Structure formats: C-alpha cells, structure tokens
Amino acid sequence: MRVVHMGLWRVKHDADPAIIRRAQEKVANFTETVPGCIEALVAPLYVPEMGQADRETFGNLAGFEEMARGYNYILYMVFESEIARDEYEDHPAHVALKDECLALWVGNASEAALVFDLRLP
C-alpha cells in the first residue's frame, strides 16, 4: 500500500533563497537516495482565489491564504509502502535535512511544521 507523506511548513518570509533551494534539492534527491521513495518535492503552497461557493461556505474568512494559517510551503512525498515510509524517518538523507528546516522555519519545529500521512488504496 502506497503512503503519501505531506508536511505544511511555515517558512520565514525573509528566508535565504539559497537555503530554500538546498532543501528543495535534498528532498528531490530522496527518490534516488531513500529506498521506496517514488516522488518527493518541496514547493511554495498554491493558494488560489476563493470562489463564491467557498466564500459562502467559509463565511468570515478573507480567503484561502487566511485559511492556510501561515503555512506557505508544502513537502509532498510518495512511498511505495508503509515500511518504506517508516524507514525514511531515520534515513541519513532525511536527518540531513534538519539544518535547512531549522534555518527556514518560523519558530520551533512543532510550531512550524504540520506533518501527516495518507494510505492510498
């Protein structure tokens, strides 16, 4: 069963673009360095304009940007199995991303990142 691993990141607005690029490159290389990782990227969060139906549903929100609650980047990964996802946690390539994350994130890790997984049928 494939697993989608995602993380929403609060990246500092004045973050060093070189550090952002380095984090993106490290994550993109996970498909070559982390066994069982078949897709991996970090990108700015896409925040579309809120349409009429959404404005009616969400009422008092100014738009999806407000709904994003300050998260402005997304980590998106797909693993071929739950085992591969579990083994990724301690993989050296994942651990090596720590310095970039801590340099980019607003606040500490528990405030700056929201991480979740989804099992695909």
Side-chain angles (χ1 to χ4, degrees), residues 30 32-35 84 86-97:
F30 285 174
E32 297 174 20
T33 59
V34 177
D86 291 344
E87 291 175 351
Y88 153 78
E89 280 303 315
D90 295 320
H91 192 280
H94 179 222
V95 174
L97 186 62

Side-chain angles (χ1 to χ4, degrees), residues 32-47:
E32 297 174 20
T33 59
V34 177
C37 180
I38 54 180
E39 291 184 58
L41 67 91
V42 169
L45 190 64
Y46 169 59
V47 182

Side-chain angles (χ1 to χ4, degrees), residues 3 35 48 59 64 74 81 85 91:
V3 175
F64 287 124
I74 189 164
S81 68
R85 162 62 180 97
H91 192 280

Side-chain angles (χ1 to χ4, degrees), residues 71-86:
Y71 295 105
N72 53 1
Y73 273 76
I74 189 164
L75 166 78
Y76 172 81
M77 300 174 66
V78 179
F79 292 93
E80 64 187 22
S81 68
E82 291 180 44
I83 292 170
R85 162 62 180 97
D86 291 344

Side-chain angles (χ1 to χ4, degrees), residues 10-12 14-16 19-20 22 97-107:
R10 288 185 178 125
V11 171
K12 298 172 188 170
D14 62 348
D16 184 339
I19 297 174
I20 294 172
R22 191 166 58 235
L97 186 62
K98 177 182 174 184
D99 291 338
E100 284 80 9
C101 291
L102 294 177
L104 294 172
W105 289 346
V106 175

